[in-house]
Amino acid sequence: MGDVMEKLIAKREKEARISFAKEMLANNESIDKIVKYSKFSVKEVRALAAKMSA
C-alpha cells in the first residue's frame, strides 16, 4: 500500500510542477528561471513550451 501512495504522491507533485512551469511560461519567464524553480531539465521545459505553443 505504501508504494502505491508514494507513486500517487509523486504523480501529483509532478503535475503541480508542470502546472507551475506552464504558468511561468505563460508569464514569459526565462527558461533558466523555470528550470531553477520547477526542477525540470532545460529539455523538459522546452518540450512543455513547444506543447503549449502547438
Side-chain angles (χ1 to χ4, degrees):
M1 182 81 164
D3 190 40
V4 173
M5 283 300 274
E6 287 177 18
K7 286 181 182 180
L8 179 60
I9 290 168
K11 182 179 179 184
R12 287 193 177 168
E13 286 176 351
K14 185 171 183 179
E15 289 171 356
R17 289 174 37 228
I18 290 170
S19 178
F20 178 68
K22 283 181 175 181
E23 187 173 344
M24 291 182 78
L25 285 164
N27 286 308
N28 298 314
E29 295 292 345
S30 71
I31 298 289
D32 290 336
K33 192 174 192 179
I34 298 168
V35 167
K36 179 179 178 178
Y37 292 108
S38 71
K39 307 297 185 209
F40 285 124
S41 68
V42 171
K43 184 177 178 179
E44 289 170 312
V45 173
R46 287 191 174 146
L48 187 59
K51 278 186 183 179
M52 289 176 64
S53 65

